Amino acid sequence: MARLRKRLWAWLLAGFLLVAALTLYQAERTGRSESAADSCPEAALECPGEEKPLPLPVPVEPSVSPSASGSPSPSATSASPSPTPPPGSSAPPVPAPGPACNATSPGACGFPDARSTGPRIALERHDTGNMSIKTDGTVIKGWDIRGSLDVYADNVTIIDSRITSTNWWGVNLRPGFKGLRVLHTTITAVPGKGPDNGGVNYAVSNMGDSSVEVGWCDVSVFGNALSMGQGDLHDNYVHDIVAFRNLGGEWQHTDAVISGGGNKGRLTVRHNTLLNSVPVDKGASAALGLFADTGVVSNVIVDNNWLAGGAYALYGGGPGATGIQVTDNVFSTQYHPKSGLYGAVAAWNAGGAGNVWRGNRMSDGRPVVPEPSP
């Protein structure tokens, strides 16, 4: 019995010592935690020993410059235009085109379509009619325009807007003026309501001698959509051109991009989708027409575009054309097996000084080689 009592007291003493040790350990651990908490205030972005939280996205509120309807001298701002984002910033990135691509899906092949062009912000309607801009540095942003813009001023910018025209043009730069930029804008028209026997001719027209920039625009309906001898045309989606008979009763010739030659500066046509679905017997000329109508064609870069439709998808400038660089373009068969009804390219002057033809292919991957000029 005495031996049993001694064992019991030994167990009780051991248990007491164990409880005391655990109490001291917990007190020490709690003291350290409180010390760490004191060194990390609630406002801290991260605390010692904790995972760093992911940053929250910062919302960007779109701003619309104009707040009142337009007038002959618009009160739209005369501030500097917003910086232009890099190409493709308006839509999720798409894969670069490979050797072969779906002939009817330029967007899936890395080229502009409705997702990557046009305005990026909410628009405010402005029934301007045919409006003249006469103030240098005017910026029109966020306007849903029912009318057209005739530009008699320098350094005008139209950005993140929509233009629905029933005039000869959507935007027109007059001779003697410079610096026009049309960016992230939808330019269209009302078929049957235009002045040319119900038709409309030019989405953007450059009547001056300086370059015009047109980028990330969604363009449709106009017969000769982008018309200029010098300019920077990039990342645009030109589609659904509408055939019409002109005032002379003849079918209007249609081209997604047209240049009449005699240009004094450089024309760059890079990374656009240029579609001409108009039947040839109703006036279709080309997706991209470089014609020597008013002089020799020179200093043109045609690079990395998606071309389809027309009698020929590309007219290359004809005899005497120089400095024409046609590189890495895709000729789609979505309208015709040869891209254009009669072929991919005509009027290519292979012997012209500075002319380069390289890396051009059909949408099924076959190389495009121009036929020798007659």
Side-chain angles (χ1 to χ4, degrees), residues 23-148:
T23 301
L24 291 173
Y25 172 77
Q26 183 64 28
E28 182 180 7
R29 182 173 178 271
T30 301
R32 288 178 181 174
S33 297
E34 289 174 352
S35 175
D38 290 342
S39 65
C40 184
E42 292 182 359
L45 294 178
E46 58 179 314
C47 296
E50 294 181 0
E51 293 185 1
K52 184 176 181 179
L54 294 175
L56 296 175
V58 179
V60 178
E61 294 293 333
S63 61
V64 179
S65 298
S67 59
S69 60
S71 60
S73 293
S75 58
T77 64
S78 296
S80 299
S82 303
T84 303
S89 63
S90 302
V94 290
C101 216
N102 187 327
T104 61
S105 300
C109 299
F111 292 90
D113 62 8
R115 300 173 305 160
S116 58
T117 56
R120 303 160 294 176
I121 62 176
L123 305 181
E124 180 180 346
R125 179 159 172 166
H126 290 260
D127 294 314
T128 64
N130 301 326
M131 182 173 71
S132 295
I133 299 176
K134 298 182 178 180
T135 303
D136 290 350
T138 295
V139 176
I140 291 180
K141 183 176 182 181
W143 284 27
D144 184 357
I145 295 171
R146 301 302 196 274
S148 64

Side-chain angles (χ1 to χ4, degrees), residues 75-343:
S75 58
T77 64
S78 296
S80 299
S82 303
T84 303
S89 63
S90 302
V94 290
C101 216
N102 187 327
T104 61
S105 300
C109 299
F111 292 90
D113 62 8
R115 300 173 305 160
S116 58
T117 56
R120 303 160 294 176
I121 62 176
L123 305 181
E124 180 180 346
R125 179 159 172 166
H126 290 260
D127 294 314
T128 64
N130 301 326
M131 182 173 71
S132 295
I133 299 176
K134 298 182 178 180
T135 303
D136 290 350
T138 295
V139 176
I140 291 180
K141 183 176 182 181
W143 284 27
D144 184 357
I145 295 171
R146 301 302 196 274
S148 64
L149 301 178
D150 207 2
V151 180
Y152 295 85
D154 292 340
N155 303 319
V156 171
T157 297
I158 297 103
I159 186 169
D160 286 316
S161 295
R162 177 183 175 92
I163 297 169
T164 304
S165 174
T166 55
N167 198 3
W168 294 90
W169 55 76
V171 183
N172 182 34
L173 180 66
R174 289 289 179 169
F177 299 96
K178 61 185 179 182
L180 174 64
R181 304 173 75 204
V182 186
L183 309 172
H184 291 287
T185 292
T186 294
I187 310 171
T188 190
V190 182
K193 299 294 185 180
D196 194 359
N197 201 26
V200 286
N201 295 69
Y202 312 110
V204 181
S205 171
N206 182 4
M207 298 176 67
D209 296 328
S210 69
S211 180
V212 167
E213 181 184 3
V214 183
W216 303 286
C217 288
D218 184 325
V219 181
S220 60
V221 179
F222 292 89
N224 287 304
L226 302 178
S227 174
M228 60 194 68
Q230 47 275 322
D232 182 9
L233 312 179
H234 61 88
D235 302 286
N236 300 293
Y237 175 44
V238 184
H239 60 102
D240 293 309
I241 294 172
V242 174
F244 66 92
R245 295 184 187 273
N246 59 26
L247 289 174
E250 301 172 336
W251 287 108
Q252 163 74 28
H253 288 287
T254 60
D255 305 87
V257 171
I258 185 170
S259 176
N263 48 299
K264 298 180 180 179
R266 178 179 296 280
L267 175 64
T268 300
V269 185
R270 177 171 282 126
H271 197 243
N272 302 276
T273 297
L274 305 177
L275 309 179
N276 189 350
S277 59
V278 173
V280 171
D281 62 0
K282 292 186 178 180
S285 294
L288 171 54
L290 304 178
F291 302 114
D293 293 336
T294 58
V296 174
V297 180
S298 61
N299 296 325
V300 180
I301 294 174
V302 180
D303 176 63
N304 192 29
N305 299 281
W306 179 278
L307 308 172
Y312 290 88
L314 171 68
Y315 280 84
T322 60
I324 315 298
Q325 302 177 36
V326 182
T327 56
D328 299 324
N329 298 281
V330 175
F331 290 81
S332 170
T333 59
Q334 64 194 91
Y335 303 128
H336 308 291
K338 298 179 180 180
S339 190
L341 178 63
Y342 305 121

Side-chain angles (χ1 to χ4, degrees), residues 1-24:
M1 180 63 72
R3 186 177 299 173
L4 182 60
R5 287 177 179 174
K6 288 182 180 180
R7 286 182 179 178
L8 181 58
W9 281 108
W11 282 109
L12 289 173
L13 179 60
F16 175 78
L17 293 174
L18 179 60
V19 170
L22 288 174
T23 301
L24 291 173

